[in-house]
Amino acid sequence: MGKQRILSGVQPTGNLHLGNYLGAIRNWVQGQSQYDNYFCVVDLHAITVPHNPATLASDTYNVAALYLACGIDLKYSTIFVQSHIPAHAELTWLLNCITPINWLQDMIQFKEKAVKQGENVATGLLDYPVLMAADILLYEPDKVPVGEDQKQHIELTRDIVNRFNHLFGQGKQILKQPEPLINKEGARVMSLTDGTRKMSKSDPSDLSRINLLDSPDEIAKKIKRCKTDSVRGLVFDDPARPECNNLLTIYMLLSGKTKEEVAAECQDMGWGQFKPLLTEIIIAALKPIQEKYKEVMADKGYLESVLREGRQKAEAVASQTLRKAKIAMGYSMPL
Ligand code: AMP
Ligand code: TRP
């Protein structure tokens, strides 16, 4: 039997941070040899909120370079850019026409983002999950590794598959049902300035997140200033201490220690003792990523060749699925 397939993506908006790494990219890297992997940079999603045309292309390249820097290996994985494959936009349109609008209005992320946009909410922001469904379904993945915040979008994708197959499948599964793959630990890394909100690219305060490309000084400053509490002894899973749980979890994941080991190590510590340890672990974990990133960015020709090859491989898979979907819907095929 062949390997199961994985598909996932990150938007090229703002700086990639520890939440993106621990919730998504690190899991892609750790599992990649078991699977046949497709990782895209979802630049069509990046324009669902106002964007800067002057930096869209370079932001897209930077994310692709970060995939490589984090350890995505081309032996197992294909890296490509969403907008390079027209099938994503085309399947989105087909799926739009069978997706009830109230399914989209109910999405938590839409509601949260729409509030921030005030009166100027683009149709694309509402339609964002349908584009994500198209991203996924074109590659017929078995699993979609993401952070907790994307679970609802994958459930919507599954609802769209059921509806499509019911309407057009004549008893057959034309589109394939994907499963979410969400690791329990790291699925929701929280803000450094408020342990009840997730770490996010769009938080106006840079102090709220550790970016993957932050310098050691910036990391030290952010950890020094991050929100804590006045309780002595550090513990996991105390609902009254969300910051404490978050910082211990980051420490656990980046140190490679088990939860029990970290709990034992930190139970009698104060923040003054813990913060320097955490700072050191974060700096050490990001150092190899930052070095590899510099190397990749120094050779633009190489990165372009990775994306060109990725496009060819992705296109071959996507065009087949799109064709199947169009035939099922009754389209005539160009001769
Ligand atoms: P985005 O930054 O929205 O493009 O998200 C890219 C990937 O990172 C998705 O799989 C998200 O679920 C994941 N992600 C984003 N923020 C966090 C966070 N704070 N904690 C864990 N995963 C996250
Ligand atoms: N919506 C996802 C996010 O913001 C990014 C994304 C777009 C994605 N298309 C995808 C993730 C397909 C997984 C699969 O995190």
Side-chain angles (χ1 to χ4, degrees), residues 95 98 103 137 154-178:
L95 300 180
I98 62 152
W103 289 7
L137 298 174
I154 297 182
E155 280 160 7
L156 178 94
T157 302
R158 293 175 57 83
D159 290 341
I160 292 175
V161 169
N162 282 337
R163 198 172 170 99
F164 187 98
N165 289 339
H166 172 74
L167 288 170
F168 308 120
Q170 298 182 331
K172 285 204 276 234
Q173 304 289 309
I174 308 290
L175 297 177
K176 176 170 164 163
Q177 251 341 329

Side-chain angles (χ1 to χ4, degrees), residues 44-84:
L44 296 172
H45 280 102
I47 66 166
T48 54
V49 294
H51 81 288
N52 181 358
T55 57
L56 181 60
S58 58
D59 289 345
T60 302
Y61 270 58
N62 295 350
V63 173
L66 266 174
Y67 286 0
L68 291 167
C70 288
I72 296 298
D73 183 340
L74 300 172
K75 192 156 38 142
Y76 308 114
S77 305
T78 301
I79 299 176
F80 66 100
V81 175
Q82 184 190 35
S83 69
H84 292 178

Side-chain angles (χ1 to χ4, degrees), residues 83-132:
S83 69
H84 292 178
I85 315 249
H88 289 247
E90 192 171 351
L91 184 62
T92 301
W93 178 253
L94 303 181
L95 300 180
N96 274 339
C97 295
I98 62 152
T99 304
I101 209 162
N102 64 309
W103 289 7
L104 302 178
Q105 286 161 334
D106 285 345
M107 292 289 113
I108 298 164
Q109 201 171 75
F110 171 69
K111 289 192 227 168
E112 285 174 359
K113 289 192 182 175
V115 172
K116 289 192 201 152
Q117 300 301 314
E119 306 229 310
N120 234 337
V121 180
T123 307
L125 188 64
L126 180 67
D127 202 28
Y128 173 118
V130 183
L131 177 59
M132 178 163 163

Side-chain angles (χ1 to χ4, degrees), residues 8-13 15-25 28 42 109 113 128 145-151 186-191 197-201:
S8 197
V10 173
Q11 303 181 65
T13 42
N15 292 315
L16 265 62
H17 51 69
L18 270 185
N20 297 128
Y21 183 60
L22 296 174
I25 302 173
W28 308 351
V42 291
Q109 201 171 75
K113 289 192 182 175
Y128 173 118
V146 284
E148 179 69 34
D149 60 345
Q150 296 304 310
K151 193 168 172 211
R188 199 166 167 81
V189 176
M190 309 310 280
S191 158
R197 293 178 32 203
K198 71 171 185 176
M199 187 178 283
S200 156
K201 291 171 185 159

Side-chain angles (χ1 to χ4, degrees), residues 85-282:
I85 315 249
H88 289 247
E90 192 171 351
L91 184 62
T92 301
W93 178 253
L94 303 181
L95 300 180
N96 274 339
C97 295
I98 62 152
T99 304
I101 209 162
N102 64 309
W103 289 7
L104 302 178
Q105 286 161 334
D106 285 345
M107 292 289 113
I108 298 164
Q109 201 171 75
F110 171 69
K111 289 192 227 168
E112 285 174 359
K113 289 192 182 175
V115 172
K116 289 192 201 152
Q117 300 301 314
E119 306 229 310
N120 234 337
V121 180
T123 307
L125 188 64
L126 180 67
D127 202 28
Y128 173 118
V130 183
L131 177 59
M132 178 163 163
D135 297 340
I136 296 170
L137 298 174
L138 282 172
Y139 299 90
E140 306 188 315
D142 298 281
K143 295 188 178 134
V144 183
V146 284
E148 179 69 34
D149 60 345
Q150 296 304 310
K151 193 168 172 211
Q152 198 185 33
H153 290 158
I154 297 182
E155 280 160 7
L156 178 94
T157 302
R158 293 175 57 83
D159 290 341
I160 292 175
V161 169
N162 282 337
R163 198 172 170 99
F164 187 98
N165 289 339
H166 172 74
L167 288 170
F168 308 120
Q170 298 182 331
K172 285 204 276 234
Q173 304 289 309
I174 308 290
L175 297 177
K176 176 170 164 163
Q177 251 341 329
E179 298 282 342
L181 184 60
I182 300 174
N183 268 13
K184 203 165 129 261
E185 308 295 354
R188 199 166 167 81
V189 176
M190 309 310 280
S191 158
L192 297 181
T193 47
D194 178 352
T196 64
R197 293 178 32 203
K198 71 171 185 176
M199 187 178 283
S200 156
K201 291 171 185 159
S202 59
D203 192 313
S205 168
D206 200 51
L207 286 175
S208 70
R209 62 185 159 256
I210 302 281
N211 303 304
L212 298 185
L213 299 177
D214 278 348
S215 68
D217 285 351
E218 283 167 319
I219 294 169
K221 182 179 87 182
K222 287 176 179 179
I223 296 302
K224 202 176 233 172
R225 298 221 198 142
C226 76
K227 186 169 175 209
T228 53
D229 52 31
S230 51
V231 187
R232 204 181 160 80
L234 309 181
V235 294
F236 284 104
D237 300 323
D238 179 345
R241 303 181 68 191
E243 288 82 16
C244 186
N245 188 62
N246 187 44
L247 297 173
L248 286 191
T249 303
I250 294 174
Y251 180 70
M252 172 184 80
L253 291 169
L254 293 181
S255 66
K257 293 179 183 167
T258 64
K259 194 166 175 177
E260 291 69 33
E261 285 167 343
V262 173
E265 183 185 353
C266 301
Q267 60 184 349
D268 299 321
M269 271 189 199
W271 291 112
Q273 202 183 346
F274 178 71
K275 279 187 170 187
L277 286 180
L278 178 62
T279 303
E280 206 177 298
I281 284 285
I282 297 175

